[in-house]
Amino acid sequence: KKVKALSVIAAIYVGAYAAGFFSSFFISNVILRYFIFDIAATVFTFVFSVIFRNSSVYDPYWSLTPMLFSVMLFIEKGAASPWQIVFLCVFNLWSLRLTVNWIGVFTDFSYEDWRYRKYRAETPRLFWPLVNFFGIHYMPTLVVFAGMLPLFSISETAIGAMAIPGMLVMLFGIALEFYSLLPRLDGSAPSSRLLNFFNRLSTITRVTVEEIKSETGKLSHTPFKLGYLHALPRSYFREAIFRHSSV
């Protein structure tokens, strides 16, 4: 059942990226071309979210699209220096980890992020399509695309020694995220309990704020979210990479 559902998701994303590619093929400006690609793929994914009545169809978009765009950009720009290749591997390690994590959470089309169920229940039916598209699909696409903008410079700039601190920060964040998923020495696994809690939430419609605060408060010492903080200094070091690329 899970394999069948994942196969359907994979087919949807092949179609989404094909739609994005052909929608932007004749645009000469690189950033605009990738932006139109991104929007077209998002709209395609949204259509199937509506068909399956499940907004979690969009969930892997966060991690798959940066992976695809980074590879496409580096091939298009002929970025093949050793440091660029190392950066590409580290960047896609983050994307791969997040994708694998989602695959572990996803069961079949009966699974949907508990927040989406909550938003649907609290939103008047007439306005739900707007909330679904702009809030759950379109806005995250814009945020992720903005986060990928440095890739356009990195893919065509010779990366020097200043890349090392940035990639170390990225690896540190990824390592924290991996660590948070491992069982502790005492047999506990905070992030696994948090994952089970969220899975339980995905099966119900309404969630009390008190329950969320209670569970997440007890489990917030996990380093999982701390790992995501590497995105802040990473952005700085990305800037440093192409500002001091001759170092």
Side-chain angles (χ1 to χ4, degrees):
K1 197 174 181 180
K2 178 173 181 174
V3 173
K4 182 179 179 180
L6 286 174
S7 298
V8 173
I9 293 290
I12 291 172
Y13 275 79
V14 169
Y17 292 138
F21 178 79
F22 288 112
S23 297
S24 59
F25 185 77
F26 294 104
I27 300 176
S28 58
N29 182 278
V30 177
I31 295 180
L32 181 60
R33 182 168 72 249
Y34 277 82
F35 179 72
I36 298 300
F37 184 124
D38 210 1
I39 297 302
T42 298
V43 171
F44 189 97
T45 306
F46 169 73
V47 169
F48 281 89
S49 293
V50 173
I51 291 174
F52 286 100
R53 292 183 56 83
N54 191 325
S55 296
S56 280
V57 168
Y58 177 81
D59 284 352
Y61 198 91
W62 290 81
S63 53
L64 289 176
T65 302
M67 194 184 308
L68 175 66
F69 278 17
S70 64
V71 173
M72 287 176 59
L73 264 173
F74 276 54
I75 292 176
E76 180 180 348
K77 298 295 184 179
S81 72
W83 282 117
Q84 285 174 322
I85 293 174
V86 171
F87 171 83
L88 186 65
C89 291
V90 173
F91 181 81
N92 284 319
L93 179 61
W94 168 83
S95 294
L96 182 62
R97 190 217 63 80
L98 190 54
T99 304
V100 170
N101 184 73
W102 175 81
I103 292 174
V105 173
F106 183 76
T107 53
D108 52 42
F109 285 105
S110 65
Y111 167 84
E112 185 179 33
D113 191 296
W114 65 272
R115 292 165 295 186
Y116 305 158
R117 291 174 180 264
K118 185 172 185 291
Y119 298 154
R120 183 185 290 112
E122 295 178 348
T123 302
R125 189 172 182 178
L126 181 64
F127 296 105
W128 170 243
L130 294 175
V131 172
N132 190 17
F133 178 70
F134 288 103
I136 296 176
H137 292 74
Y138 183 70
M139 184 56 68
T141 288
L142 293 183
V143 172
V144 172
F145 187 83
M148 291 189 292
L149 286 176
L151 286 175
F152 293 95
S153 295
I154 296 172
S155 64
E156 58 187 14
T157 304
I159 300 177
M162 280 300 295
I164 298 176
M167 286 187 283
L168 288 176
V169 171
M170 293 169 70
L171 285 172
F172 177 70
I174 295 168
L176 278 177
E177 291 163 359
F178 270 118
Y179 171 73
S180 69
L181 299 176
L182 297 176
R184 299 295 177 83
L185 294 178
D186 60 2
S188 65
S191 58
S192 296
R193 288 187 280 118
L194 185 61
L195 182 62
N196 291 334
F197 173 64
F198 285 158
N199 281 335
R200 181 160 56 86
L201 290 181
S202 72
T203 63
I204 60 180
T205 300
R206 294 188 178 275
V207 185
T208 64
V209 175
E210 291 73 19
E211 186 178 10
I212 295 176
K213 287 182 177 180
S214 173
E215 290 292 333
T216 55
K218 289 185 291 186
L219 303 176
S220 61
H221 63 280
T222 176
F224 183 75
K225 288 301 180 184
L226 179 59
Y228 277 91
L229 294 180
H230 77 291
L232 298 177
R234 181 177 68 193
S235 298
Y236 165 76
F237 285 119
R238 277 180 181 173
E239 293 290 336
I241 286 172
F242 51 82
R243 286 181 182 275
H244 304 282
S245 58
S246 60
V247 176

